[in-house]
Amino acid sequence: MSWILVTCMLAYGSLRLALWIRGQIRYLLLRERLPAWPQPRPRPVHLSPGLELLLDHNFAGRVQLVESSRTIATVLITDPDAPLGSVRDFRYRLAVAQAWSAACAWRSSLDALADDDRCRLERAGYTPWAFRERQAALQRTVRSTVRAPALEPFAVAGVERTAALVTAMVEDLERVELALARGGDDPYR
């Protein structure tokens, strides 16, 4: 091996090590800013069994989406390629797949609601059209992410858009809980 090649390899290894250490230090400094874990809210009384089941799936979906959001944020902080404009960390792919799985599970529980439960949910102030649009956008991201070759770089801007999308889905599920808590009055009054 020539000394030029060895010098280039040492420089590249040093750069990667410095970027990795930078990511670890940034994580230690910024880990309090990661999305907070959701806390269960008191269950409204007088809900139908279908809406109670939806609330159960809602909280489980919210926890999974927050976990995905935290993972994506961690990847953006720690990935050594992030300062260079891309992300190669495999955890990003897993987080996107997990967010997609959680969104599909919640959507199927929403679609399984009886018509009177859907009407009650809409009267309480929640309509699922925004969630459906976000799920469709996430599906496009899932397709491009899961089908990409190993170690394929993803642009940081695209990863940040995905993080914002998952955060918006979490907020949408929070709105469901708030709407049912407000609209959970006794139907016989």
Side-chain angles (χ1 to χ4, degrees):
M1 262 198 309
S2 73
W3 63 273
I4 296 174
L5 182 62
V6 170
T7 304
C8 290
M9 289 177 66
L10 284 174
Y12 177 74
S14 299
L15 174 68
R16 296 293 294 182
L17 180 64
L19 290 174
W20 181 82
I21 291 171
R22 174 189 178 270
Q24 300 306 311
I25 291 171
R26 286 187 70 223
Y27 178 74
L28 291 174
L29 296 174
L30 299 175
R31 66 180 169 207
E32 288 83 23
R33 294 185 188 174
L34 292 176
W37 290 105
Q39 299 299 321
R41 291 191 169 93
R43 185 176 295 273
V45 294
H46 305 297
L47 286 180
S48 68
L51 288 176
E52 285 183 2
L53 186 62
L54 179 70
L55 270 181
D56 291 339
H57 288 283
N58 192 69
F59 183 72
R62 209 161 47 104
V63 168
Q64 288 178 333
L65 287 171
V66 167
E67 183 178 345
S68 295
S69 182
R70 288 175 64 91
T71 301
I72 293 170
T74 301
V75 166
L76 284 170
I77 292 170
T78 62
D79 192 312
D81 293 320
L84 304 176
S86 63
V87 168
R88 295 179 193 260
D89 197 328
F90 73 95
R91 294 177 295 176
Y92 171 65
R93 294 173 192 241
L94 295 176
V96 169
Q98 182 182 7
W100 172 249
S101 174
C104 287
W106 187 82
R107 170 93 184 263
S108 67
S109 65
L110 178 69
D111 291 342
L113 279 178
D115 289 337
D116 57 335
D117 288 337
R118 282 190 198 153
C119 290
R120 187 168 180 197
L121 188 60
E122 287 178 8
R123 278 193 314 266
Y126 178 78
T127 54
W129 63 269
F131 186 85
R132 289 182 176 138
E133 288 178 0
R134 290 181 183 113
Q135 186 186 17
L138 184 62
Q139 183 180 17
R140 291 187 293 273
T141 303
V142 167
R143 284 185 179 159
S144 66
T145 304
V146 172
R147 292 180 181 170
L151 296 178
E152 178 78 15
F154 300 100
V156 169
V159 174
E160 289 172 344
R161 279 192 303 274
T162 303
L165 181 65
V166 172
T167 301
M169 293 175 92
V170 169
E171 292 168 355
D172 205 35
L173 295 186
E174 286 176 352
R175 279 193 289 279
V176 170
E177 291 180 8
L178 292 173
L180 286 176
R182 280 191 314 265
D185 298 332
D186 189 350
Y188 301 110
R189 287 189 199 179

